């Protein structure tokens, strides 16, 4: 996980990028969110999880776990429903990368 914290006047912004191992990184993500409670936060996640919630064609167990975590953590998924996938290989395509934000960062990213 790579985390960058920036101060813009009185506003504190936290940006993170992480490869997500479902078996160990929920704890890291929880710790990051606990630290970021009073900060606008944007997280890019290589989740290897599939979910129709972030516009993949299927949902797997990892996707279900991350969906529940995002919901329980009051995060918002910023992925858009486009005909572009976030992962492509000779085995196929999928949307396993997602970008999430908290309530404090939602207004700036919507604009």
């Amino acid at each position: 996980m790579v985390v960058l914290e920036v101060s813009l006047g009185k506003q504190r912004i936290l940006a993170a990028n992480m490869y997500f191992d479902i078996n160990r990184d929920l704890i890291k993500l929880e710790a990051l969110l606990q630290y970021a409670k009073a900060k606008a936060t944007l997280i890019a996640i290589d989740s290897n999880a599939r979910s129709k919630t972030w516009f993949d064609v299927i949902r797997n167990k990892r996707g279900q776990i991350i969906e529940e975590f995002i919901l329980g953590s009051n995060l918002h998924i910023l992925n858009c429903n486009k005909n572009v996938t976030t992962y492509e290989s000779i085995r196929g395509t999928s949307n396993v990368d997602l970008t999430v934000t908290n309530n404090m960062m939602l207004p700036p990213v919507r604009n």
Side-chain angles (χ1 to χ4, degrees):
M1 178 186 319
V2 176
V3 179
L4 173 69
E5 187 171 350
V6 179
S7 295
L8 297 171
K10 294 182 180 181
Q11 179 75 36
R12 307 233 5 175
I13 300 172
L14 197 77
N17 182 13
M18 67 186 303
Y19 171 81
F20 198 80
D21 181 329
I22 198 77
N23 296 313
R24 70 168 195 260
D25 289 338
L26 277 177
I27 295 168
K28 288 180 184 177
L29 190 51
E30 284 176 337
L32 175 67
L33 293 173
Q34 186 67 28
Y35 173 78
K37 272 191 174 180
K39 299 169 182 71
T41 303
L42 182 71
I43 308 168
I45 304 169
D46 177 354
S47 71
N48 288 322
R50 302 182 74 176
S51 171
K52 293 180 180 183
T53 303
W54 48 89
F55 309 106
D56 200 359
V57 294
I58 65 167
R59 182 174 106 174
N60 61 14
K61 184 66 175 170
R62 286 182 186 168
Q64 179 182 351
I65 292 168
I66 293 176
E67 281 176 8
E68 292 170 2
F69 180 84
I70 288 170
L71 234 155
S73 300
N74 295 316
L75 296 174
H76 306 275
I77 298 170
L78 299 177
N79 292 44
C80 297
N81 187 9
K82 295 184 178 178
N83 291 330
V84 179
T85 55
T86 63
Y87 177 78
E88 185 174 335
S89 76
I90 58 172
R91 297 186 312 181
T93 60
S94 61
N95 285 320
V96 294
D97 301 321
L98 62 149
T99 305
V100 297
T101 188
N102 64 359
N103 288 333
M104 292 180 70
M105 189 68 166
L106 195 56
V109 296
R110 279 193 172 162
N111 296 332

